[in-house]
Amino acid sequence: ALVDATDFGHLRFDYRQASAATHANASMVLEPPDADHLGSSLVTGPSPVGINTPAHGAAISLVVSTGTLMTSADYVSTVYVLSTMLELCDRAGAQLLDAEASAKTAESE
């Protein structure tokens, strides 16, 4: 319905190709983001490589949507809730980067 409403159906293939590394789809079974040579290996188990960007993006989206909702009304706690969420979001981003670096290091050993 969105494609029909926006009249951007001609870009669907390009969008799918561009978002393949971020969004789950069948092509990632044939070309996992952590493969040494794309097209030459199959995913045989979970891979943490590449998860940090979408996971941190989800955390940021939660902060933004919560902030938008809370600032639309007069809540006394808004500043405290949002500052806490921002701190947690930053911590999550750092942890995700560390986890991916550790996974890459372990994988190369």
Side-chain angles (χ1 to χ4, degrees):
L2 290 172
V3 172
D4 292 339
T6 57
D7 197 30
F8 280 107
H10 61 285
L11 296 175
R12 189 159 182 81
F13 177 77
D14 295 326
Y15 173 78
R16 282 185 160 192
Q17 218 173 11
S19 67
T22 303
H23 301 288
N25 62 45
S27 70
M28 292 309 289
V29 172
L30 302 175
E31 296 186 16
D34 55 341
D36 291 331
H37 305 286
L38 293 180
S40 65
S41 60
L42 296 175
V43 174
T44 56
S47 173
V49 177
I51 194 66
N52 66 331
T53 301
H56 195 208
I60 292 169
S61 294
L62 285 171
V63 172
V64 171
S65 59
T66 302
T68 302
L69 181 64
M70 289 190 78
T71 56
S72 66
D74 191 20
Y75 293 115
V76 176
S77 60
T78 297
V79 174
Y80 304 109
V81 170
L82 292 180
S83 61
T84 302
M85 287 183 74
L86 284 169
E87 176 64 27
L88 292 172
C89 185
D90 288 344
R91 288 184 191 181
Q95 290 292 322
L96 288 162
L97 284 174
D98 290 347
E100 182 163 318
S102 295
K104 285 182 179 179
T105 301
E107 203 171 84
S108 65
E109 292 177 349

